[in-house]
Amino acid sequence: MKINDPAVLAEVEAAFATYEKALTSNDVATLDALFRDSPLTLRYGVAENLYGHHQIAAFRSARSPVGIERALERTVITSYGDAMATANTMFRRASMQGKVGRQSQTWVKFPEGWRVVAAHVSVIAE
């Protein structure tokens, strides 16, 4: 198995960049499309545990778009073979003084493209 094949890594980095742009612009349709449409997809958030694409989509559509801008730090994307990757990053928001956010995602390549199958977001004190 090849780890961090440059071509695969470039694909995942592009998908991650699309996710980040959609997140910070509250593009709910793109966010919904980037999470695998499956009851097996999950997202553990700062204050919520979401099981299945339907719960994740409902959370996204109800979320306030206020204060979602953020700056990323120490993003690490690693591909394993040609169809699986992880993306981990830290982030800061103006609304989270003295705290740092952490985000991890597992991406899998399906016929329709790269999709998040599992995600976790948490916030800790600096």
Side-chain angles (χ1 to χ4, degrees), residues 15 18-20 22-23 27-45 48 50-60 63 70 103-108 110 112-121:
T18 299
Y19 171 88
E20 186 62 23
L23 182 72
D27 180 350
V28 175
T30 298
L31 291 170
D32 286 348
L34 288 172
F35 274 76
R36 174 76 169 160
D37 189 354
S38 167
L40 301 176
T41 301
L42 64 90
R43 180 186 177 276
Y44 293 150
E48 66 283 336
L50 307 171
Y51 292 89
H53 188 272
H54 67 283
Q55 287 187 0
I56 297 166
F59 166 79
R60 291 274 183 227
R63 184 176 151 197
R70 65 188 194 167
Q103 172 184 297
S104 62
Q105 299 171 326
T106 302
W107 290 79
V108 175
F110 294 94
E112 64 272 21
W114 287 96
R115 298 294 183 263
V116 176
V117 296
H120 186 187
V121 179

Side-chain angles (χ1 to χ4, degrees), residues 16 73-78 86-90 103-105:
F16 181 82
E73 297 177 4
R74 302 191 70 177
T75 302
V76 177
I77 298 174
T78 307
T86 59
N88 294 276
T89 194
M90 295 190 325
Q103 172 184 297
S104 62
Q105 299 171 326

